[in-house]
Amino acid sequence: MTYKEPIFDVAQLSHVEIFSPRMDESLHFFKNLLGLSETERDGNSVYLRAYEDFYHHSLKLTYRETPGLGHVGWRSSSPQALERRVQSLEASGLGKGWIEGDRGYGKAYEFVTPDGHPQRILWDVEYYQAPEDQKTKLLSRPQRRPTRGVPVRRLDHVNLLASDVTKNKQFFIDHLGFNLREHIELDDGREGGAWLSVSPLVHEIAFLGDRTGKGNRLHHIAFWYGYPQHLADISDIFVEEGIRIEAGPGKHGVSQAMFLYVFEPGGNRVELFGDAGYLIFDPAWKPLKWTQDQIEEAIIWFGSPLPNEYFIYGTPHDTPPYQAGK
Ligand code: FE
């Protein structure tokens, strides 16, 4: 049996940019309810990070008339690893070229998924330096725990709607070295969803089949809390603030994470993780395949079923089924 040599060139999800048509309300959601801190502003963008994110930012929020994905940022495991991945991306035909970088990081290489979701890969990052009044005695985190809302700890993953899950999944495996951890096979043989990672986490990225057929859309971004109790606590605040909860708290079969889905006021779906789920250390991991008759357990291990909207709503959207926050 041949064994494919693993590629360890992508280290982590470093940041994500999303668009919001309602910047003030979105900023209130991320800063005052999820406890993100603002690092910097630049034109139509605000750079934010959770209190255990170590770099300049993990979320870039940019004003646009329509919500959706700006880009996903990946950090390579070394400058040499970056060059190797760029070679592979250029050969794929989906490379776009080098850019100067952005606030918080140096030169980056732009590319798109087969569906067209914009991506960047980079090495050179600026580490967050807490101002005097935010310095902490706990050296294992880069700043004090905020006292606003129920603060999330770090950016966890992105989930993208794809017109063809298999194509997008395979691109991440072949050109970026991701490992397939779990997937859903539909009765007609197509893949309904795929969860991939470069670390022991079950996923840093997932692709879900876009039932509208459109693809190239954002399904959700996710932040990690750590404790399931936080999901109940933040649910109280969301109800009081008029933030619509789509589903949860509940537990996924895939990844075993505790979850809560809400719509931030700009219209993008945000997932909150209440548990790390399980971790994968086996270098010869065999992807877990859920079949169509197991979808319910795959998506909701326990808790109420997901509304149909979960499978068709992504950003950008045609008709907003969400009720925007206050
Ligand atoms: Fe998720």
Side-chain angles (χ1 to χ4, degrees):
M1 190 180 119
T2 55
Y3 185 77
K4 190 169 166 272
E5 187 66 19
I7 301 168
F8 295 109
D9 286 351
V10 177
Q12 64 172 150
L13 171 65
S14 67
H15 65 268
V16 57
E17 179 188 30
I18 60 170
F19 299 138
S20 170
R22 303 175 71 202
M23 286 295 276
D24 289 346
E25 293 89 344
S26 291
L27 281 169
H28 173 68
F29 172 86
F30 285 112
K31 290 172 71 174
N32 298 329
L33 310 188
L34 300 194
L36 298 192
S37 304
E38 182 176 326
T39 321
E40 209 172 346
R41 287 186 182 219
D42 178 21
N44 284 333
S45 297
V46 180
Y47 297 84
L48 302 153
R49 43 177 288 292
Y51 72 97
E52 291 190 350
D53 282 326
F54 284 86
Y55 306 151
H56 174 274
H57 67 276
S58 54
L59 177 66
K60 180 181 180 182
L61 190 66
T62 297
Y63 173 76
R64 283 285 167 92
E65 279 183 15
T66 310
L69 177 70
H71 69 272
V72 180
W74 301 101
R75 192 169 186 218
S76 68
S77 48
S78 70
Q80 297 88 337
L82 175 58
E83 295 298 331
R84 282 193 296 270
R85 285 312 100 210
V86 168
Q87 272 189 10
S88 180
L89 290 164
E90 285 190 335
S92 77
L94 294 175
K96 294 287 177 195
W98 289 98
I99 56 162
E100 284 289 305
D102 195 355
R103 300 290 175 109
Y105 56 90
K107 72 168 189 170
Y109 186 82
E110 286 191 314
F111 62 100
V112 291
T113 65
D115 248 35
H117 307 98
Q119 312 281 310
R120 291 180 187 176
I121 182 168
L122 53 113
W123 160 252
D124 189 21
V125 295
E126 184 185 318
Y127 287 83
Y128 173 74
Q129 297 295 331
E132 247 355 272
D133 66 342
Q134 290 302 314
K135 288 208 159 75
T136 172
K137 292 177 181 172
L138 295 174
L139 299 183
S140 49
R141 60 170 63 135
Q143 70 162 93
R144 283 188 189 193
R145 180 180 168 141
T147 51
R148 304 178 303 278
V150 183
V152 291
R153 293 172 67 168
R154 61 171 172 76
L155 177 66
D156 191 85
H157 66 263
V158 292
N159 187 313
L160 305 178
L161 284 172
S163 58
D164 182 330
V165 169
T166 305
K167 249 192 210 168
N168 287 274
K169 171 202 81 175
Q170 203 57 46
F171 174 78
F172 268 71
I173 293 171
D174 294 343
H175 296 286
L176 296 163
F178 277 72
N179 302 293
L180 178 63
R181 303 310 200 175
E182 302 197 35
H183 58 157
I184 293 174
E185 189 181 85
L186 304 175
D187 286 346
D188 62 10
R190 285 181 304 125
E191 275 182 310
W195 287 259
L196 303 117
S197 69
V198 287
S199 76
L201 296 175
V202 174
H203 67 314
E204 288 99 13
I205 189 164
F207 292 102
L208 268 190
D210 189 338
R211 292 190 189 178
T212 68
K214 283 193 281 246
N216 190 14
R217 299 198 294 157
L218 173 67
H219 191 266
H220 64 263
I221 62 170
F223 287 94
W224 188 61
Y225 268 127
Y227 301 112
Q229 178 63 43
H230 292 143
L231 298 179
D233 294 340
I234 194 69
S235 295
D236 279 356
I237 294 179
F238 286 152
V239 168
E240 287 171 349
E241 291 274 335
I243 298 294
R244 184 166 150 233
I245 294 173
E246 182 184 36
K251 180 173 177 160
H252 289 309
V254 172
S255 85
Q256 287 194 36
M258 298 286 297
F259 68 88
L260 176 70
Y261 290 107
V262 299
F263 295 106
E264 59 89 14
N268 297 293
R269 185 186 284 103
V270 175
E271 180 181 20
L272 301 164
F273 258 30
D275 194 1
Y278 72 97
L279 298 173
I280 298 170
F281 301 99
D282 178 2
W285 178 259
K286 290 189 180 55
L288 309 181
K289 181 160 72 180
W290 301 77
T291 52
Q292 189 148 345
D293 61 315
Q294 296 169 319
I295 280 185
E296 282 196 17
E297 288 79 16
I299 294 185
I300 304 265
W301 193 261
F302 69 74
S304 314
L306 292 170
N308 193 43
E309 162 200 83
Y310 181 86
F311 298 98
I312 54 173
Y313 181 83
T315 44
H317 54 81
D318 294 330
T319 44
Y322 67 91
Q323 228 170 29
K326 70 171 202 177

